[in-house]
């Protein structure tokens, strides 16, 4: 009964501990940075506190009732845990002046961040490390066999952590925010403490002995026993290997699993379930387990580490599916279970077994468990550092798995004795047989299996004719650079991190990425210093270097691999911006850079990861946008990405409101898609003159660069307008902004929300958009008055292109409007499903080739029409027709062009080749040509 009650107490304690750990690490990252080094060292600070608690347990002897001390420890965790959650944001803000003063001394700054995180977390983590050893010292519990009691208590404590991982992430943070979640966790600690005190009271009432015997002398931080080094080394190694494996497993699974907080919590829960159930199971048979069982368990763990990877169940794609980016919790749980659960289960069995071996040499239960846990925790602290900084970047995930398996094999050798290998014993025979099986598993290991998994991660894009250029397994993730060639030349690149497309240089993306730079540069009177957060594929950086007025450009990215790939982009319409002497590349967490750097800028922009990618939500909160504002000079301008199509309506409003709260002077821009650009001006807005807006059109390089992305004249900048801050206030009334403390206002689901298209389409209506532009108070303050008239045609072009992107439209009607209603090139090209990037490649390929290859003709025809060279377009269409390659749309286009060129008779002749005359599109065309040019449709058959 006592064991069952205390198991429930430790279950509550484990739930609370995991919730607090999640909150502390999240908020520590915001306060002290999330760079790979900072995050790893903050985690190590957490583990060091736990180790200190176990060290105290390993070297102390109690005179007070253990459950009284346990209750005090739980109350300390609750009190300090909640205080840290509430205080960390304030501490981070108070330390900003110190961080800024030490910015040029990065080593000292990193050391201080680690020191602060260690000191802040010291008391509650030390208390956490003491709880289990102290409970095991309970005198009533001493009547239970040590191994059984430890297995059950440790198991339920770990199962509690599973509940904490899932309930905290999936429910509490969403419902109550970070602060409310900390109070809930603290309440669980208090309940656990109350139950412990109740047991103490019941013991006193019944006269049960719960204090140490009178002859025992209390002792603190002093060893009076000899350390059993071999089992302790195995405890250290087992902790190190398991945490190394956890990092490696998660890296591997991210090739298949959505990069979200929910997916991460579920994968962590699978590992913890395995450990917890293994520990509970060990409690049932540990008494019957012989010494020879430990080597067998370790070599079995080695074998399963390899076999679970070799037999990994690659998810099956449904009909028409080409992407493994799993978001279903059932699928994530299935593949996580298959890969991680068996080894995690054995790890759960191992820990109580090792502690029981140690207890043979260290009579005190608290001391034996304390010293075992101390070594295990020390190994666990080293494991993530070993995986993240050495194994994964140097060897890759597959070789890291093999090394972990070999590590288990070495631990087997360390703990085993000569007689354990005797074939005369059944256990010895089993150990020899398993060792031979392990050797065979290594020798026959399919060493090219990892290439299949990398290929699966990029499967969707390889189906779109993109091929691998370079692969890097780095400290922050697996990077794959893909390239699509067109006409034998590089067309665009795609940068994948793990199983997710993080960035790409395709024409659609280039449009908004370059506008991140061109919009603030055009609207700032005199920009000199610019900051780019997140390098991506370097498109925004390239656009910034086109501004000759900028004197200095800082580019910050958390991953050095993003910079390392910069030289691998060939062609694609831009150069490596890192070679520009004005550019400084900085490997740092972008948020911490804003917090700690003393530098101020005229322009801050970002090419960040999508908001629903794991760890990115804090780049879209009110606090982050406030940091951007703080680093701007007065009159400075910030722009930031808002991929509206990846959100639902409430999420979009929450981010818009967060940005507007940080920037009272806000404008939202967008081209003919749903890649919105939020722009904020710090301080009083300044009116710019006509010449300032037109500055980029005075230089050939910037004029051509803007034209390629569909901004051919300055008036088209105005036609990017979506809304201002007043409109955000109107639509977001009743909506709460996305903040650091309520990150779950942004969900994890990335499924398309049809309502978002309805929301967006209202802002793409040409007439109302032009009216909103002219009536906007902020636009009236900043935009040249002479450029606010005659904007309707440009807004109309945007509306047409937007609607064409969502559904099928009458392309020839649109083409007619563009050809006869304006002199713009890009709308013509887009209507014909091409763009300036394709045209450049097609023309380069066509040089000196006679006859022109058929595959180049559609782009060359579009180019001729964009130049309004109807004779050339007709010639190319006739060439295509003569070679038997013309399709029905080509016949309709040729008929239309002959009429447009005044050659109606030829149009009538061409029209006789029309095969689908009953199609509504054909009837519309002939009716139009008949009404406008006197065209006579061919007689029906």
């Amino acid at each position: 009964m006592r064991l069952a009650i205390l198991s429930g107490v430790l279950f509550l304690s484990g739930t609370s501990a995991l919730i607090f750990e999640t909150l502390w690490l999240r908020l520590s990252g915001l306060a002290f940075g999330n760079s790979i080094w900072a995050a790893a060292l903050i985690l190590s600070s957490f583990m060091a506190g736990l180790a200190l608690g176990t060290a105290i347990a390993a070297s102390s002897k109690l005179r007070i009732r253990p459950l009284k001390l346990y209750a005090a420890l739980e109350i300390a965790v609750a009190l300090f845990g909640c205080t840290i959650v509430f205080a960390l944001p304030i501490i981070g803000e108070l330390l900003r002046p110190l961080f800024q003063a030490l910015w040029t001394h990065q080593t000292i700054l990193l050391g201080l961040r680690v020191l602060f995180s260690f000191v802040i977390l010291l008391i509650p983590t030390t208390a956490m490390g003491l709880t289990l050893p102290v409970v095991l010292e309970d005198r009533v519990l001493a009547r239970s066999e040590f191994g059984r009691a430890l297995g059950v208590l440790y198991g339920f404590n770990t199962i509690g952590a599973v509940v904490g991982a899932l309930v905290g992430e999936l429910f509490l943070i969403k419902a109550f925010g970070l602060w409310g979640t900390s109070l809930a966790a603290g309440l669980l600690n208090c309940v656990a403490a109350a139950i412990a005190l109740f047991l103490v009271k019941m013991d006193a009432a019944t006269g049960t002995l719960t204090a140490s015997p009178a002859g025992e002398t209390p002792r603190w931080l002093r060893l009076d026993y000899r350390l059993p080094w071999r089992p302790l080394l195995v405890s250290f190694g087992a902790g190190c290997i398991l945490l190394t494996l956890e990092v490696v497993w998660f890296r591997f699974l991210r090739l298949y699993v959505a990069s979200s907080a929910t997916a991460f919590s579920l994968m962590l829960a699978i590992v913890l379930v395995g450990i917890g159930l293994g520990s509970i199971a060990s409690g049932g048979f540990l008494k019957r387990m012989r010494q020879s069982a430990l080597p067998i368990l370790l070599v079995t763990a080695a074998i399963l580490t390899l076999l679970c990877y070799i037999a990994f169940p690659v998810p099956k794609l449904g009909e028409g599916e080409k992407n493994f980016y799993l978001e279903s919790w059932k699928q994530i749980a299935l593949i996580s279970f298959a890969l991680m659960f068996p080894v995690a289960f054995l790890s759960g069995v191992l820990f109580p077994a090792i502690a029981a071996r140690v207890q043979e040499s260290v009579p005190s239960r608290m001391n034996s468990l304390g010293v075992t846990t101390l070594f295990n925790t020390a190994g666990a602290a080293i494991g993530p550092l070993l995986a993240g900084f050495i194994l994964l970047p140097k060897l890759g995930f597959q070789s890291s798995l093999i090394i972990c398996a070999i590590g288990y094999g070495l631990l087997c050798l360390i703990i085993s004795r000569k007689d354990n290998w005797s074939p005369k014993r059944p256990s010895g025979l089993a150990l020899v047989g398993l060792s031979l099986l392990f050797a065979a598993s290594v020798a026959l290991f399919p060493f090219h299996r990892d290439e299949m998994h990398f290929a699966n991660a990029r499967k969707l894009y390889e189906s779109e004719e993109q091929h691998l250029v370079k692969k890097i397994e780095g400290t922050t993730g697996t990077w794959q650079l893909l390239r699509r060639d067109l006409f034998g030349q590089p067309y665009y690149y795609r940068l994948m991190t793990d199983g997710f497309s993080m960035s790409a240089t395709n024409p659609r993306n280039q449009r908004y990425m370059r506008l991140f730079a061109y919009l603030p540069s055009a609207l700032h009177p005199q920009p000199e210093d610019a900051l780019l957060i997140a390098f991506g594929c370097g498109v925004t950086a390239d656009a910034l270097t086109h501004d000759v007025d900028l004197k200095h450009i800082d580019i910050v990215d958390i991953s050095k691999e993003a910079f390392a790939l910069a030289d691998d982009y060939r062609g694609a319409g831009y150069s490596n911006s890192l070679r520009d002497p004005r550019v400084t590349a900085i490997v740092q967490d972008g948020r911490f850079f804003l917090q700690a750097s003393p530098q101020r800028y005229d322009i801050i922009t970002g090419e960040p990861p999508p908001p629903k990618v794991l760890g990115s939500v804090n780049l879209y909160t009110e606090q982050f946008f406030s940091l951007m504002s703080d680093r701007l000079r007065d009159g400075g301008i910030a722009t930031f990405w808002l991929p509206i199509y990846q959100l639902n309506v409430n999420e979009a409003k929450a981010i818009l409101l967060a940005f507007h709260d940080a920037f009272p002077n806000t404008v939202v821009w967008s081209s003919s898609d749903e890649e919105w650009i939020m722009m904020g001006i710090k301080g009083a807005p300044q009116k710019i003159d006509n010449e300032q807006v037109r500055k980029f059109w005075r230089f050939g390089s910037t004029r051509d660069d803007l034209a390629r992305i569909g901004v051919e004249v300055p008036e088209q900048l105005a036609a990017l307008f979506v809304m201002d801050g007043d409109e955000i206030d109107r639509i977001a009334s009743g909506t709460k902004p996305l903040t650091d403390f309520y990150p779950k206002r942004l969900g994890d689901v990335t499924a398309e929300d049809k309502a978002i298209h309805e929301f967006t389409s209202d802002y793409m209506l040409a007439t109302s958009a032009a009216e909103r532009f002219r009536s906007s108070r902020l636009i009236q303050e900043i935009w040249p008055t002479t450029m606010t008239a005659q904007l309707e045609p440009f807004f109309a072009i945007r509306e047409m292109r937007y609607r064409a992107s969502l559904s099928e439209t009458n392309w020839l009607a649109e083409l007619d409007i563009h050809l006869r209603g304006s002199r713009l090139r890009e709308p013509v090209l887009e209507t014909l499903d091409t763009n300036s990037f394709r045209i450049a490649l097609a023309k380069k390929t066509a040089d000196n080739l006679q006859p022109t290859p058929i595959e180049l003709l559609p782009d060359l025809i579009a180019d001729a029409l964009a130049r309004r060279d109807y004779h050339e377009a007709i010639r190319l269409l006739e060439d295509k027709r003569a070679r038997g390659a013309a399709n029905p749309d080509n016949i309709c286009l040729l008929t239309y062009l002959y009429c447009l060129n005044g050659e109606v008779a030829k149009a009538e002749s061409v029209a006789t080749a029309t095969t689908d005359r009953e199609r509504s599109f054909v009837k519309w065309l002939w009716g139009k040509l008949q009404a406008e040019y006197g065209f006579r449709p061919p007689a029906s058959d």
Side-chain angles (χ1 to χ4, degrees), residues 736-785:
K736 294 180 179 179
L738 182 64
T739 69
D740 289 344
F741 311 111
Y742 287 90
K744 287 299 180 178
R745 287 174 183 163
L746 184 67
D748 290 331
V749 177
T750 59
E752 185 177 9
D753 180 14
K754 293 182 179 179
I756 200 69
H757 300 307
E758 298 173 5
F759 172 76
T760 305
S761 61
D762 290 340
Y763 291 98
M764 292 293 160
L765 297 174
T767 303
S768 57
E771 181 56 34
R772 277 196 310 275
F773 178 83
R774 294 193 188 94
S775 62
S776 167
R777 290 185 297 172
L778 182 56
I779 292 298
Q780 291 171 3
E781 292 182 40
I782 65 173
W783 204 265
T785 307

Side-chain angles (χ1 to χ4, degrees), residues 641-766:
W641 183 38
L642 183 62
I644 201 82
Y645 61 96
Q646 297 182 16
L647 310 169
N648 63 42
V649 174
N650 288 331
E651 291 168 345
K653 290 178 180 178
I655 296 176
L656 285 168
L657 190 58
F659 190 86
H660 183 38
D661 285 348
F663 291 98
N665 296 310
T666 293
V667 185
V668 180
W669 311 90
S670 177
S671 184
S672 57
D673 49 38
E674 294 177 343
E675 311 278 7
W676 286 13
I677 301 171
M678 301 179 292
M679 188 183 85
I681 303 173
K682 181 177 180 179
Q686 303 177 50
K687 199 173 190 71
I688 55 174
D689 58 33
N690 191 31
E691 288 303 308
Q692 170 68 20
V693 176
R694 297 180 181 276
K695 71 173 185 177
F696 288 127
W697 283 267
R698 294 198 301 266
F699 304 99
S701 62
T702 51
R703 181 177 61 247
D704 294 343
D705 199 36
L706 281 162
R708 289 189 307 166
I709 61 172
V711 186
E712 301 175 53
V713 294
E715 287 77 10
Q716 285 184 282
L717 280 181
L720 299 172
F721 178 82
V722 175
M723 67 176 72
D724 62 7
D726 292 337
E727 178 67 5
I728 292 174
D729 286 334
R730 186 188 71 80
I731 64 172
S733 177
T735 301
K736 294 180 179 179
L738 182 64
T739 69
D740 289 344
F741 311 111
Y742 287 90
K744 287 299 180 178
R745 287 174 183 163
L746 184 67
D748 290 331
V749 177
T750 59
E752 185 177 9
D753 180 14
K754 293 182 179 179
I756 200 69
H757 300 307
E758 298 173 5
F759 172 76
T760 305
S761 61
D762 290 340
Y763 291 98
M764 292 293 160
L765 297 174

Side-chain angles (χ1 to χ4, degrees), residues 502-517:
M502 189 63 71
S503 186
T505 67
N506 56 308
R508 173 181 170 175
N509 287 12
Q510 292 233 20
R511 179 178 297 158
Y512 71 85
M513 289 176 180
R514 291 184 180 277
L515 286 172
F516 287 154

Side-chain angles (χ1 to χ4, degrees), residues 532-575:
L532 170 62
I533 298 172
F535 183 67
C537 290
V539 176
T540 304
D542 181 62
L544 284 171
T545 60
H546 278 72
D547 188 350
V548 296
D549 291 334
L550 288 175
K551 296 179 180 178
H552 183 74
I553 304 169
D554 283 335
I555 303 176
V556 179
D557 199 288
I558 197 169
S559 303
K560 64 181 181 180
E561 292 84 3
F563 293 131
L565 291 168
D567 275 330
D568 291 286
Y569 300 96
R570 301 280 186 261
Y574 69 97
S575 58

Side-chain angles (χ1 to χ4, degrees), residues 58-72:
S59 56
S60 303
K61 189 171 291 185
L62 303 178
R63 281 294 301 272
I64 64 173
R65 291 183 174 90
L67 292 187
K68 272 192 174 181
L69 176 57
Y70 171 79

Side-chain angles (χ1 to χ4, degrees), residues 11 98 148 230 379 412 427 458 586 687:
F11 175 88
L98 178 61
R148 176 174 178 270
R230 286 211 298 177
C412 170
S427 60
R458 60 180 186 265
I586 302 166
K687 199 173 190 71

Side-chain angles (χ1 to χ4, degrees), residues 220-236:
W220 295 95
L221 300 178
R222 181 168 59 85
L223 292 179
D224 59 359
Y225 55 86
R226 186 177 180 181
L227 292 174
W229 285 107
R230 286 211 298 177
L232 290 178
L233 286 176
V234 172
S235 180
F236 175 89

Side-chain angles (χ1 to χ4, degrees), residues 53 59 100 124 189 246 258 341 349 399 406 535 591 613 652 697 795 931:
S59 56
Q100 291 172 355
N189 291 119
E246 187 176 316
F341 181 85
V349 175
S399 296
I406 293 172
F535 183 67
R591 178 164 175 148
V613 168
W697 283 267
F795 279 106

